[in-house]
Amino acid sequence: MAEMTLLEAVNLALHHEMASDPKVIVLGEDVGDNGGVFRATVGLKDKFGCKRVIDSPLAEALIGGVTVGMASQGLRPVAEFQFQGFVFPALEHLMCHAARMRNRTRGRLTCPAVFRAPFGGGIHAPEHHSESVEALFTHTPGFKVVIPSSPQRAYGLLLAAIRSNDPVMFFEPKRIYRTVKSNVEDNGNALPLDTCFTLRKGRDITLVTWGACVVESLQAADELSKQGIEAEVIDLASIQPLDMRTIFASLEKTGRLLVVHEACKTGGVGGEIIARTAEHAMCLLKAPPKRVTGMDTVMPYYRNEDYFMLQEADIIAAARELVEGWK
Amino acid sequence: MNIQAMPMHRFIDHKGTLVTPLPAWLSHDMLVSYYRDMVLTRVYDNKAVALQRTGKLGTYPSHLGAEAIGIAIGRTLKSDDVFIPYYRDMPAMWARGIAMEKNLQYWGGDERGSDFHSESAPHNRPSRDLPFCVPIATQCTHAVGVAAALKIEGGHHAALVTCGDGATSKGDFLESINCAGSWNIPLVFVINNNQWAISVPREIQCGAEFLADKAKGAGITGITVDGNDVVAMLDAVKTALEQAYRGKGATLIEAISYRLSDHTTADDASRYRSEDELQQAWQYEPISRLKQYLINAGRWTEQDETELLELCRKDVEAAVERYLAIIPQAPESAFDYLYESLSDDLHQQRDAIINKAMRMQGAKHG
């Protein structure tokens, strides 16, 4: 077992699965000699050769479409988009074809592909490099949507994504690519893609979050604990399908729901979680559910970026309001 | 401009005259066989339009005028090759061994139309061919992925993808031929240049004289072929596939044809296309020229024609009967192929549609 970053865990999972399954192919721009813009694919080409680690032309629609074509023939391609904001040229392939291949052929052909993309803000990146659009793909039937928030879960979830017979959008929170470290054992054990993870037990409030916001949510929970409020923190991890059972079980204890995500508020996944809670578990709630989310704006250029990133204090304030205002 | 008068790969002209000696590998018996295939698909096409007009089929895109292109592709591809069609490719799919009623099922609103086996594939196994592609040109990028997969697998197989002239304006097409050149993959592109992308004519798609000229910029072979001449199409597709099998890379075939129909049954081409132009195009269509050639060669008679048409009508009617007898899919089937397995929430939605369908059927019957 070795301590590593989330980025290194992604790389480890790719190494593991390419070694154990010859059908796994990695493709994208810069993934070969350069090892990807963030170095997630470093060393793969040396180990597995240029037939399995394929540098593509600079054409995202092509990357999306080629991945669909490869997957339709039984390969397990793992495509890398350099940033989530660069997935947009490939949307037609993802939504019209990848997500629908199994359905439109009644299972004759499938699309066992993984589409990886770093996402989110907070690294002072240029325009179009800070998107958080997981809701877009969650709203598209046929996809699984997965977001790891720790090295250990990045390793296990990526293995599961590659082994999945359904197409998976795998979004990596680049803000914590190198800042979060944990021990990861290269044991080939995949994590489930339909379960969220309870990271911290608590009795007073349930914080549901994912991606880089898990860091601030855990910090907020620690601070709240000092103030006498015990928060249960749930890392959603699998955005689609949504594991509401774990959330409802937590609400049975806490009765208070706070969803924290970096993506825009309107139409976001937080709204879906709260809607399902209202539909199926309203009686568990002691207070109206609440969201701490990104603003409904375009992410500003980096000089103003910090004002728009979620802070630990935002979460603490919302949690206190929920607990203290609704006693 | 009379596009048919422009220089292109051709063996039999529009009057049925041999202008280039037939390829050595092609016999008159084979030509008669291909002629029969082409006539069958035209009879089918007419029937499909009639079915749509009488409410027994959904919106349907006729392939009238594209018979030579489709039959050449379908009869030349080998069983282990992979075909990536666009939505006007019924002749090629049929010639490849896909049952006619599968096509009716697809345009009749039943997803099982894309769940086909191929009679040409060993052991009648599920075909690896992709389903019809409706979004324009996206299938070209899928074909690059398929061809790359075939190259990774090893062996001597190829992929063949088709598109219309309108598709060549899209980035997907250009990205695909560009990548095919740089990756040196076993792939054949066939453009059915039928001169119209719904109402937009060929000259608005691109300023190049020939769409095949785009191949040069991609570093692949390009050839312009008379798409109404089945011999020229057979020869071009065969040559391109052999090049692909030998690891010599991709080919772009521009097949010059003409869309003798409306874009689909939902379209009225008389709004934007002159009757004179249509009538002129009929002078060049693929079936009459081959018939005339075979008659001139002493290999076909009007008696043969009468018997063939009767046989085709019987075959098509039998396919239509099989199509109309197909039991509808269960409403919940929309859930059954969405994922490999369903989440709890989708199970609940699946149950809901079953209950709703039962209520609606109960109301209808009682």
Side-chain angles (χ1 to χ4, degrees):
Chain A
M1 193 176 293
E3 185 179 70
M4 62 182 64
T5 64
L6 196 158
L7 190 58
E8 289 166 338
V10 167
N11 182 261
L12 185 67
L14 291 170
H15 271 278
H16 183 98
E17 210 54 14
M18 289 195 80
S20 55
D21 185 352
K23 289 184 180 301
V24 178
I25 306 292
V26 166
L27 73 152
E29 197 206 344
D30 291 320
V31 298
D33 292 332
N34 199 33
V37 285
F38 286 97
R39 310 289 177 261
T41 59
V42 78
L44 293 173
K45 186 180 174 187
D46 286 344
K47 190 166 179 184
F48 301 105
C50 59
K51 264 194 174 180
R52 294 186 60 200
V53 183
I54 304 172
D55 270 322
S56 75
L58 201 172
E60 284 84 6
L62 179 90
I63 293 169
V66 164
T67 303
V68 170
M70 284 182 168
S72 75
Q73 302 303 304
L75 294 179
R76 291 187 175 272
V78 182
E80 176 176 297
F81 293 102
Q82 295 188 332
F83 293 87
Q84 196 186 59
F86 298 170
V87 174
F88 300 145
L91 282 183
E92 188 174 17
H93 295 280
L94 301 179
M95 294 180 163
C96 294
H97 299 291
R100 298 164 67 141
M101 187 65 78
R102 177 191 296 277
N103 190 62
R104 66 199 284 244
T105 63
R106 301 285 93 170
R108 179 174 64 86
L109 301 176
T110 59
C111 189
V114 180
F115 301 94
R116 293 181 44 244
F119 86 110
I123 65 163
H124 289 192
E127 194 179 6
H128 306 301
H129 289 61
S130 302
E131 279 69 15
S132 299
V133 292
E134 61 269 28
L136 188 63
F137 298 95
T138 304
H139 194 64
T140 305
F143 280 125
K144 290 177 177 170
V145 181
V146 179
I147 297 178
S149 66
S150 78
Q152 184 261 339
R153 287 193 291 287
Y155 175 83
L157 291 172
L158 184 52
L159 290 185
I162 298 171
R163 294 171 193 172
S164 168
N165 290 326
D166 299 313
V168 179
M169 300 304 303
F170 196 86
F171 297 133
E172 297 160 11
K174 60 181 179 284
R175 181 157 63 87
I176 57 171
Y177 251 160
R178 294 188 172 91
T179 57
V180 173
K181 294 184 179 180
S182 65
N183 287 324
V184 179
E185 185 178 356
D186 187 16
N187 55 13
N189 289 345
L191 289 169
L193 292 183
D194 58 355
T195 306
C196 45
F197 300 90
T198 303
L199 304 182
R200 189 184 195 286
K201 295 285 185 184
R203 61 165 190 267
D204 299 319
I205 185 169
T206 300
L207 299 185
V208 178
T209 186
W210 54 92
C213 291
V214 167
V215 173
E216 286 79 17
S217 296
L218 286 170
Q219 289 169 350
D222 286 345
E223 179 56 32
L224 286 165
S225 179
K226 291 174 190 166
Q227 300 173 19
I229 297 172
E230 294 299 335
E232 184 141 308
V233 179
I234 294 175
D235 175 9
L236 199 64
S238 286
I239 314 300
Q240 174 70 278
L242 273 176
D243 170 21
M244 293 304 294
R245 286 186 180 188
T246 303
I247 295 171
F248 292 161
S250 177
L251 290 175
E252 282 185 11
K253 287 190 296 180
T254 67
R256 295 179 179 87
L257 173 62
L258 178 64
V259 185
V260 179
H261 64 65
E262 190 177 318
C264 301
K265 175 177 281 189
T266 303
V269 175
E272 180 64 28
I273 292 169
I274 289 173
R276 291 196 191 194
T277 302
E279 282 177 336
H280 303 293
M282 190 73 148
C283 58
L284 299 178
L285 296 180
K286 300 173 188 167
K290 200 169 177 62
R291 285 175 284 179
V292 175
T293 71
M295 307 285 183
D296 290 337
T297 67
V298 174
M299 178 67 87
Y301 298 173
Y302 70 82
R303 282 182 187 275
N304 272 340
E305 185 182 46
D306 286 351
Y307 298 114
F308 284 77
M309 298 302 297
L310 299 188
Q311 309 289 336
E312 178 188 335
D314 301 328
I315 302 167
I316 292 170
R320 287 185 63 98
E321 188 182 331
L322 250 180
V323 174
E324 294 168 355
W326 294 87
K327 277 184 176 169
Chain B
M1 180 176 67
N2 181 359
I3 188 109
Q4 287 290 338
M6 296 173 79
M8 63 185 83
H9 193 55
R10 177 183 290 141
F11 290 84
I12 299 172
D13 74 7
H14 67 288
K15 294 177 180 169
T17 305
L18 197 64
V19 294
T20 307
L22 290 181
W25 52 266
L26 184 66
S27 70
H28 275 119
D29 283 349
M30 290 162 73
L31 268 186
V32 169
S33 164
Y34 298 142
Y35 178 72
R36 299 172 76 92
D37 291 347
M38 290 162 64
V39 171
L40 177 59
T41 64
R42 183 163 293 183
V43 171
Y44 167 87
D45 195 66
N46 287 333
K47 182 66 181 180
V49 172
L51 287 171
Q52 191 279 331
R53 301 293 187 222
T54 53
K56 292 175 181 164
L57 205 64
T59 300
Y60 173 79
S62 165
H63 57 249
L64 194 64
E67 295 89 350
I69 298 170
I71 294 303
I73 291 170
R75 289 297 185 209
T76 308
L77 279 168
K78 293 180 180 170
S79 61
D80 281 332
D81 295 331
V82 180
F83 180 43
I84 301 100
Y86 86 124
Y87 55 82
R88 212 182 293 280
D89 269 328
M90 194 278 157
M93 294 183 75
W94 175 79
R96 190 142 167 74
I98 311 302
M100 214 170 259
E101 57 267 29
K102 282 288 178 185
N103 186 257
L104 292 169
Q105 210 173 354
Y106 177 86
W107 295 111
D110 185 332
E111 287 86 350
R112 292 173 297 180
S114 292
D115 179 15
F116 43 73
H117 287 55
S118 169
E119 291 167 9
S120 65
H123 314 300
N124 195 22
R125 71 186 180 205
S127 171
R128 291 174 70 176
D129 293 358
L130 266 62
F132 281 127
C133 189
V134 173
I136 302 302
T138 53
Q139 73 276 14
C140 297
T141 64
H142 307 160
V144 173
V146 170
L150 294 174
K151 186 173 179 176
I152 290 167
E153 276 179 17
H156 299 284
H157 312 305
L160 187 147
V161 61
T162 52
C163 65
D165 42 299
T168 67
S169 300
K170 279 197 64 175
D172 294 277
F173 171 82
L174 296 164
E175 291 181 16
S176 298
I177 60 171
N178 180 62
C179 188
S182 73
W183 284 0
N184 190 40
I185 48 178
L187 178 56
V188 179
F189 297 88
V190 177
I191 306 166
N192 175 0
N193 179 357
N194 66 20
Q195 315 303 322
W196 291 95
I198 306 188
S199 68
V200 178
R202 155 67 182 87
E203 59 267 23
I204 291 180
Q205 297 299 333
C206 177
E209 186 177 20
F210 292 111
L211 298 175
D213 290 344
K214 298 183 184 219
K216 186 172 177 58
I220 63 176
T221 306
I223 181 172
T224 300
V225 179
D226 186 339
N228 291 337
D229 174 9
V230 74
V231 180
M233 283 304 303
L234 287 161
D235 188 61
V237 172
K238 186 172 187 292
T239 301
L241 285 173
E242 285 170 354
Q243 175 167 305
Y245 299 148
R246 291 199 309 270
K248 301 293 184 186
T251 299
L252 172 60
I253 297 171
E254 177 189 15
I256 303 289
S257 69
Y258 195 89
R259 193 192 76 206
L260 295 167
S261 62
D262 298 331
H263 167 66
T264 66
T265 48
D267 177 42
D268 174 10
S270 67
R271 289 166 53 87
Y272 51 80
R273 185 174 67 184
S274 76
E275 184 62 21
D276 284 351
E277 181 181 309
L278 180 61
Q279 290 312 314
Q280 188 188 12
W282 270 103
Q283 306 303 309
Y284 294 90
E285 64 95 9
I287 291 183
S288 63
R289 74 169 64 185
L290 182 56
K291 176 183 173 184
Q292 192 57 51
Y293 170 77
L294 291 172
I295 289 172
N296 293 347
R299 298 302 303 258
W300 198 253
T301 65
E302 288 303 331
Q303 177 67 22
D304 293 332
E305 184 79 4
T306 303
E307 289 173 8
L308 173 62
L309 286 172
E310 185 57 27
L311 201 61
C312 290
R313 285 190 194 104
K314 281 184 179 170
D315 283 353
V316 169
E317 287 300 332
V320 170
E321 280 183 28
R322 290 194 294 274
Y323 157 65
L324 294 174
I326 292 171
I327 297 170
Q329 293 185 99
E332 67 270 24
S333 67
F335 291 90
D336 292 342
Y337 302 94
L338 191 57
Y339 294 97
E340 187 177 39
S341 60
L342 290 186
S343 64
D344 289 348
D345 186 58
L346 285 172
H347 267 300
Q348 288 171 14
Q349 293 185 30
R350 185 178 183 276
D351 290 344
I353 199 71
I354 292 171
N355 291 333
K356 182 179 177 184
M358 288 173 68
R359 280 199 311 274
M360 291 174 70
Q361 287 167 6
K364 195 190 292 182
H365 297 301

